[in-house]
Amino acid sequence: MREGACKLLAACSQREQALEATKSLLVCNSRILSYMGELQRRKEAQVLGKSGRRPSDSGPPTERSPCRGRVCISDLRIPLMWKDTEYFKNKGDLHRWAVFLLLQLGEHIQDTEMILVDRTLTDISFQNNVLFTEAGPDFELRLELYGACMEEEGALAGAPKRLATKLSSSLGRSSGRRVRASLESAGGLGSSPILLPTPAVGGPRYHLLAHTTLTLAAVQDGFRTHDLTLASHEENPAWLPLYGSVCCRLVAQPLCMTQPTANGTLRVQQAGELQDWARVHGVLKGTSLFCYRQPEDADTGEEPLFTIAINKETRVRAGELDQTVGRPFTLTISNRYGEDEVTHTLQTESRGALHSWMEALWQLFFDMSQWKQCCDEIMKIETPAPRKTPQVLAKQGSLYHEMAIEPLDDIAAVTDILAQREGARLETPPPWLAMFTEQPALPNPCSPASVAPAPARTHPMPWGRPRTFSLDAVPPDHSPGAPRSVAPLPQQRSPRSRGLFNKGPPRTWLQSPV
Amino acid sequence: MSYIPGQPVTAVVQRVEIHKLRQGENLILGFSIGGGIDQDPSQNPFSEDKTDKGIYVTRVSEGGPAEIAGLQIGDKIMQVNGWDMTMVTHDQARKRLTKRSEEVVRLLVTRQSLQKAVQRSMLS
């Protein structure tokens, strides 16, 4: 993939393509380094493991490791903080930036799509779902925001070729170690940025704009805002005015919640009936022990006969008490519901079976203590949608800009603007249209923005941006005693079509289907 | 659910996860919204406080994705996929619900029955 990216970069003519190619290249390099590092670690661990370790005796293992889980981060949104002069006036060239997020968990690195940002955007929103499998409860998800300027930074004539040739030679072991060492030493305060610095001069340069690290404490089945550590300052060419936080949905699904951890035949003592034991097929999954009539029911999706909850408050005991003759190998599960305590007694088939059930339950309790809030309920993870090709940022603008109406306004212009924005949605005329077609029987005595009927247009409004009128302001030709014409003049600018700000108290309560 | 401007708003919310239904070209949710900061709040039949300019659910289609997910008529929508809905215009609210790239929307809604249930359980 690296070879391909190098070739592509050399062939790039447009800045955007070059940015995309550079991003792929840099991400590739970082991945290679990270996997090499992981390989090294595993080899070392293997060597250490082989020497000087006694085989564990029977009994509970002293080191219990928590189960793995899937961690998914989605709906990433980073608010921007433009100066209001920049946002509204919109004068001058439109500076554009290309940004993307790099996410690292353990040795896996994933990137989001590249998004083009300019000053008409209030937030950088990433549509991706990024999924990491094989995460432990002690995971550290490092999030880094990289940006590059869309405008050319310098002469680029022969540079792409130089970049390509330098990178196409593979990273040898010694040079790799050197780079890694320099990275590790460079990270004085915290860990160093994941991305390697661009080795050659040419090609667009990505700068680290902000970073943060998320852990299990940040996981929640909902949206949360986290602080970002800003890493660049105004002198940096790729600096963006970041508000300083990132909003996202970070969820984790430990495997113990989604996969069955134990199953087998059990005999369950029915409540109240000492001698009546039902034979069931038990499946331990998540925070419940499902008891099915037959083993096949678990697969076919049949409802279980009953379900025993297993959560942090459940108490389990390998029962030596209540051992009636001929009923060995029992265990009891007790749950407290308010004032009552409900105890189920289960009999397994053999000592080995009892041992493995107890082992599975202890492992589950351990996992629940490690994964904490992730074991309260299964958090949903959607399969990540296939990556779309990066779209050129259409000049979005805000509602204000799109409602700009020329002085020669008429209703057709308004409906046209809306029709363009919404495509075919406006088959039925919108409800507010009725306001314009019928007589505006309500003159606006309170609204200072209303134009007096006699002079059709005293001052044509230069429609640069919406303006709020002070409620005290009185237009020069407004006289309270003058009779107000009720009949509309066809050329008269209707006060309501001026935009959101100038129409006085809202009169409608619209309803829209979604 | 009145609020004092400048003070943080607190509410007891219910999470509702709606999976949009594809109808030809469109992805629909199966409900209608009313309200917004550019609308007249006194005409809102569902709000307790007639100055509340929030977004309310005015209709839920039978058997539609919203009804299946548990959305009820009269609910006030506080948040959609992390985006705030308490201070938005009507059109902004509609747009945040109908993004074509999103197939699932996660809403935080509040309703008076929730508020009362929490109050009752706190007293007992």
Side-chain angles (χ1 to χ4, degrees):
Chain A
M1 193 176 157
R2 207 154 60 138
E3 299 284 325
C6 289
K7 291 200 184 107
L8 190 60
L9 187 61
C12 280
S13 51
Q14 275 195 348
R15 176 87 176 168
E16 225 175 272
Q17 296 169 349
L19 281 167
E20 190 69 40
T22 311
K23 167 178 164 263
S24 313
L25 200 54
L26 293 173
V27 172
C28 250
N29 283 340
S30 312
R31 279 201 182 119
I32 288 173
L33 257 194
S34 130
Y35 287 140
M36 275 174 16
E38 178 66 18
L39 259 177
Q40 191 97 24
R41 272 189 286 274
R42 288 198 186 166
K43 281 203 187 118
E44 285 167 10
Q46 226 177 24
V47 167
L48 284 175
K50 279 192 184 150
S51 57
R53 266 254 287 246
R54 247 181 258 174
S56 51
D57 311 322
S58 63
T62 45
E63 288 167 38
R64 197 183 279 278
S65 59
C67 67
R68 301 290 95 183
R70 306 200 309 161
V71 172
C72 179
I73 186 167
S74 62
D75 300 280
L76 287 149
R77 178 161 60 96
I78 298 178
L80 297 167
M81 189 171 60
W82 303 104
K83 295 205 195 78
D84 58 349
T85 46
E86 283 180 14
Y87 188 80
F88 284 110
K89 276 210 188 123
N90 241 335
K91 280 201 204 126
D93 304 325
L94 196 67
H95 280 290
R96 307 215 298 172
W97 292 262
V99 296
F100 69 96
L101 272 178
L102 206 59
L103 300 124
Q104 180 179 31
L105 197 152
E107 72 270 16
H108 298 288
I109 295 180
Q110 297 206 37
D111 59 326
T112 60
E113 60 197 349
M114 186 181 83
I115 295 217
L116 298 175
V117 177
D118 60 34
R119 60 167 177 256
T120 61
L121 280 189
T122 54
D123 306 72
I124 309 175
S125 296
F126 293 98
Q127 299 296 332
N128 316 74
N129 276 24
V130 178
L131 180 67
F132 291 96
T133 54
E134 300 294 309
D138 53 351
F139 71 85
E140 282 196 2
L141 176 58
R142 193 171 156 90
L143 199 143
E144 292 184 351
L145 179 70
Y146 286 91
C149 221
M150 275 292 274
E151 281 75 42
E152 314 290 333
E153 285 184 31
L156 279 183
K161 271 217 189 79
R162 270 188 277 135
L163 174 65
T165 44
K166 199 154 187 181
L167 289 175
S168 58
S169 55
S170 55
L171 211 55
R173 183 150 39 122
S174 52
S175 55
R177 239 193 249 138
R178 250 185 288 128
V179 177
R180 198 148 53 98
S182 70
L183 275 186
E184 274 157 7
S185 61
L189 295 166
S191 36
S192 47
I194 310 168
L195 274 195
L196 288 177
T198 326
V201 180
R205 229 191 114 92
Y206 278 100
H207 302 266
L208 175 66
L209 297 176
H211 63 91
T212 185
T213 306
L214 301 171
T215 59
L216 188 66
V219 171
Q220 189 187 305
D221 194 2
F223 294 87
R224 280 178 73 167
T225 307
H226 310 273
D227 291 323
L228 274 178
T229 314
L230 301 180
S232 71
H233 46 83
E234 290 203 40
E235 274 80 60
N236 195 312
W239 180 82
L240 267 179
L242 299 170
Y243 184 72
S245 42
V246 56
C247 175
C248 63
R249 181 172 177 262
L250 179 64
V251 293
Q253 258 183 15
L255 283 175
C256 62
M257 296 294 285
T258 52
Q259 312 270 341
T261 45
N263 54 38
T265 315
L266 293 168
R267 286 197 145 79
V268 184
Q269 183 181 41
Q270 303 287 61
E273 307 281 326
L274 275 168
Q275 298 308 315
D276 192 357
W277 294 70
R279 192 157 180 272
V280 296
H281 179 83
V283 176
L284 180 63
K285 188 164 107 168
T287 53
S288 310
L289 175 61
F290 300 100
C291 297
Y292 295 94
R293 197 194 309 269
Q294 292 162 43
E296 296 75 47
D297 288 351
D299 300 321
T300 54
E302 286 276 323
E303 286 293 311
L305 281 177
F306 53 89
T307 305
I308 303 174
I310 314 253
N311 52 42
K312 291 177 248 210
E313 274 94 55
T314 308
R315 291 198 331 269
V316 174
R317 270 210 325 254
E320 298 304 322
L321 314 161
D322 315 332
Q323 288 259 34
T324 53
V325 173
R327 297 265 185 212
F329 318 130
T330 56
L331 59 99
T332 58
I333 301 177
S334 308
N335 278 309
R336 185 173 278 277
Y337 297 104
E339 292 295 321
D340 312 313
E341 182 164 330
V342 178
T343 303
H344 294 270
T345 309
L346 307 155
Q347 184 194 22
T348 60
E349 302 200 297
S350 63
R351 188 179 298 280
L354 176 65
H355 186 77
S356 65
W357 275 101
M358 293 304 291
E359 174 60 30
L361 287 164
W362 291 137
Q363 178 68 36
L364 181 64
F365 285 128
F366 182 69
D367 289 338
M368 287 200 288
S369 71
Q370 294 293 298
W371 282 100
K372 303 195 182 125
Q373 73 270 27
C374 307
C375 290
D376 292 337
E377 254 186 39
I378 298 185
M379 298 186 188
K380 289 241 193 104
I381 291 183
E382 271 101 48
T383 43
R387 181 80 64 87
K388 291 193 287 235
T389 51
Q391 292 163 354
V392 180
L393 178 73
K395 182 115 192 272
Q396 285 181 38
S398 57
L399 259 184
Y400 313 141
H401 302 108
E402 301 211 14
M403 284 298 283
I405 296 169
E406 295 305 311
L408 256 65
D409 68 3
D410 58 84
I411 305 311
V414 178
T415 34
D416 272 348
I417 291 172
L418 284 175
Q420 274 165 35
R421 279 169 71 212
E422 268 127 62
R425 275 190 83 259
L426 283 186
E427 280 111 16
T428 55
W432 49 257
L433 200 53
M435 275 186 347
F436 298 96
T437 49
E438 58 189 50
Q439 302 233 345
L442 318 164
N444 259 343
C446 314
S447 163
S450 62
V451 178
R457 278 200 306 273
T458 47
H459 23 255
M461 208 64 79
W463 198 250
R465 63 181 174 107
R467 289 156 58 175
T468 37
F469 284 89
S470 138
L471 289 176
D472 306 326
V474 171
D477 42 359
H478 173 86
S479 49
R484 293 198 152 268
S485 155
V486 178
L489 298 175
Q491 299 305 319
Q492 180 187 351
R493 180 188 319 163
S494 167
R496 290 195 195 92
S497 66
R498 276 213 203 157
L500 298 174
F501 285 104
N502 307 345
K503 60 180 181 179
R507 304 241 161 210
T508 59
W509 202 71
L510 291 182
Q511 296 186 35
S512 309
V514 292
Chain B
M1 279 169 281
S2 59
Y3 81 105
I4 303 163
Q7 296 299 314
V9 174
T10 51
V12 180
V13 291
Q14 168 96 9
R15 286 203 204 121
V16 174
E17 188 178 292
I18 305 182
H19 294 257
K20 294 188 192 175
L21 181 67
R22 189 167 287 282
Q23 262 192 7
E25 277 267 314
N26 304 318
L27 281 171
I28 62 155
L29 288 96
F31 67 100
S32 296
I33 52 165
I37 53 178
D38 58 337
Q39 304 293 314
D40 179 9
S42 62
Q43 297 180 37
N44 183 347
F46 303 104
S47 57
E48 205 175 284
D49 171 16
K50 291 305 173 191
T51 61
D52 183 357
K53 292 187 171 180
I55 304 293
Y56 281 77
V57 175
T58 58
R59 189 184 64 86
V60 178
S61 316
E62 263 200 48
E67 190 188 38
I68 292 170
L71 195 66
Q72 292 175 15
I73 188 174
D75 286 352
K76 177 177 173 185
I77 304 181
M78 308 294 281
Q79 207 189 79
V80 171
N81 278 357
W83 295 90
D84 171 63
M85 296 286 261
T86 59
M87 275 288 139
V88 290
T89 63
H90 186 87
D91 205 43
Q92 279 172 344
R94 193 187 48 77
K95 282 166 99 168
R96 284 190 186 154
L97 285 162
T98 53
K99 286 199 181 143
R100 281 190 209 206
S101 54
E102 289 175 350
E103 295 214 355
V104 182
V105 283
R106 293 182 167 90
L107 311 184
L108 288 184
V109 302
T110 185
R111 49 182 86 112
Q112 295 175 21
S113 54
L114 271 181
Q115 202 80 22
K116 294 205 180 83
V118 171
Q119 280 169 0
R120 257 184 280 126
S121 65
M122 287 197 329
L123 290 172
S124 60

